[in-house]
Amino acid sequence: DAMVIQNPRYQVTQFGKPVTLSCSQTLNHNVMYWYQQKSSQAPKLLFHYYDKDFNNEADTPDNFQSRRPNTSFCFLDIRSPGLGDTAMYLCATSGEGLNSPLHFGNGTRLTVT
Amino acid sequence: ILNVEQSPQSLHVQEGDSTNFTCSFPSSNFYALHWYRWETAKSPEALFVMTLNGDEKKKGRISATLNTKEGYSYLYIKGSQPEDSATYLCAFGDNYGQNFVFGPGTRLSVLP
């Protein structure tokens, strides 16, 4: 089945130690998103790609970077994680247009100690 | 900053009860409204994509309505079952953006 896969499922990192989360898709979708969700809050968009075009949300910290080397893969790099970056990170893909549903991975739950 | 609200924040119902919850969004520049179901330890799953004022969509025991002029959508679950227990998220897309703003979700627990 076509799907969105995130690795790892759980990640624990130390304060200030760089961490990379990965997302892959077999749907061949043009658009890929990274969302951050903290406990009981709305998922918050960090950035998205339309093909190779990178779109950063204005309030996404500089600490967060992303790479999309090809259609299938997208990475979220947190250069110096802080305790406040503990959250669920969701990757999603969609076809073109806002009337295309999002297809989500299972998420990576990141804990910064 | 776009604001999308959902109410109630959480809800406990008995098996067999019918229930509904609300998503409120800006009434201007509407493009699309999505509903997702997010079960524990799984990925969020799309339920409905709604684009027209007055839209009503149905999937089994779950249905949704849309009022873009007043900026709200209702999600209804008829005869709730324990497997309906999940967080229900709505997401609003406007004419300007290429992305969605999510609400905080309604956490539904259906007790057997």
Side-chain angles (χ1 to χ4, degrees), chain A residues 9 37 42 98 100 102 105-106, chain B residues 34 36 38 41 43 94 99 102-103:
Chain A
R9 189 74 183 267
Q37 191 206 26
L98 296 182
S100 297
L102 297 176
N106 278 339
Chain B
H34 294 201
Y36 293 87
W38 192 2
S43 55
D94 69 6
N99 57 65
F102 277 84

Side-chain angles (χ1 to χ4, degrees), chain B residues 4-105:
Chain B
V4 178
E5 298 177 348
Q6 291 187 247
S7 62
Q9 184 177 13
S10 65
L11 191 56
H12 293 80
V13 301
Q14 289 293 135
E15 182 175 355
D17 287 351
S18 293
T19 187
N20 65 85
F21 18 94
T22 307
C23 173
S24 302
F25 52 84
S27 56
S28 58
N29 303 312
F30 176 89
Y31 191 95
L33 192 282
H34 294 201
W35 281 101
Y36 293 87
R37 174 171 59 203
W38 192 2
E39 297 177 67
T40 302
K42 295 186 178 180
S43 55
E45 171 196 9
L47 289 173
F48 304 114
V49 175
M50 309 180 81
T51 57
L52 297 175
N53 184 45
D55 253 357
E56 292 188 28
K57 301 229 170 178
K58 187 174 181 182
K59 188 176 183 178
R61 293 178 291 97
I62 305 176
S63 60
T65 61
L66 179 68
N67 184 323
T68 63
K69 294 186 187 306
E70 295 182 42
Y72 65 83
S73 175
Y74 293 139
L75 190 78
Y76 300 91
I77 303 178
K78 184 177 179 182
S80 302
Q81 299 296 308
E83 59 264 30
D84 297 328
S85 297
T87 296
Y88 291 83
L89 294 164
C90 67
F92 167 77
D94 69 6
N95 274 325
Y96 296 119
Q98 296 176 296
N99 57 65
F100 300 94
V101 176
F102 277 84

Side-chain angles (χ1 to χ4, degrees), chain A residues 13-111:
Chain A
T13 193
Q14 291 179 331
F15 182 94
K17 186 173 181 182
V19 65
T20 295
L21 312 182
S22 73
C23 177
S24 64
Q25 57 134 341
T26 59
L27 297 160
N28 206 33
H29 281 162
N30 289 337
V31 192
M32 292 188 80
Y33 303 85
W34 279 104
Y35 284 91
Q36 177 195 62
Q37 191 206 26
K38 297 185 179 181
S39 180
S40 301
Q41 297 181 24
K44 176 181 174 300
L45 182 66
L46 295 172
F47 19 64
H48 75 279
Y49 283 89
Y50 187 93
D51 285 330
K52 291 187 177 180
D53 291 336
F54 175 71
N55 297 272
N56 196 31
E57 292 301 295
D59 56 354
T60 297
D62 292 339
N63 202 19
F64 288 75
Q65 304 286 318
S66 183
R67 296 170 282 138
R68 190 180 185 185
N70 53 51
T71 300
S72 301
F73 286 90
C74 195
F75 299 96
L76 169 61
D77 301 307
I78 309 177
R79 291 189 298 187
S80 184
L83 299 179
D85 298 328
T86 292
M88 171 71 82
Y89 291 86
L90 289 165
C91 172
T93 73
S94 76
E96 295 182 28
L98 296 182
N99 54 359
S100 297
L102 297 176
H103 298 258
F104 285 91
N106 278 339
T108 294
R109 187 169 294 280
L110 175 70
T111 302

